[in-house]
Amino acid sequence: MYIAAVILSVLLALLSLAAGAPKVQLKGDVPDGLVAKGLSSAKVRLIGLAEIAAAAGLVAGIWWQPLGIAAAVGMAVLLLAAIGYHVKWGDYSDSATRGAAMAPVLFVLVAVAAAATLAASQ
């Protein structure tokens, strides 16, 4: 179970870091799209910082599971909020934006699996 926890934690950490870095820097299509949909630049940066913090917590959680579990649960909450925003903006009903909007759905499943495997490996 520990090997699965490590794989899921590292995978989610890499995804989280890749998603958070452009938001912190406000560079790229995703931050531009979030700002265009009404989020402030400060809120986009805060989301990016939360994603980067989750990545760090997930990696550290490989050695201290309670931190990894907290990071995975925090990431799941953040992703559920992202799903809510995608629903609010109608991204799931628009075929042009549906693909990008499905990423948080997939990632929340990975976050839950990471938290569960970390908890089981204690």
Side-chain angles (χ1 to χ4, degrees), residues 1-10 12 54 57-73 110-122:
M1 190 60 74
Y2 181 73
I3 293 172
V6 169
I7 291 169
L8 289 169
S9 294
V10 170
L12 186 60
L58 285 159
V59 171
I62 292 170
W63 293 278
W64 190 50
Q65 283 84 8
L67 180 59
I69 294 166
V73 169
V110 175
V112 169
T117 57
L118 282 166
S121 68
Q122 283 191 347

Side-chain angles (χ1 to χ4, degrees), residues 35-52:
V35 171
K37 289 185 176 182
L39 290 179
S40 68
S41 297
K43 191 174 278 189
V44 172
R45 277 201 167 116
L46 181 64
I47 293 167
L49 286 172
E51 290 172 338
I52 291 171

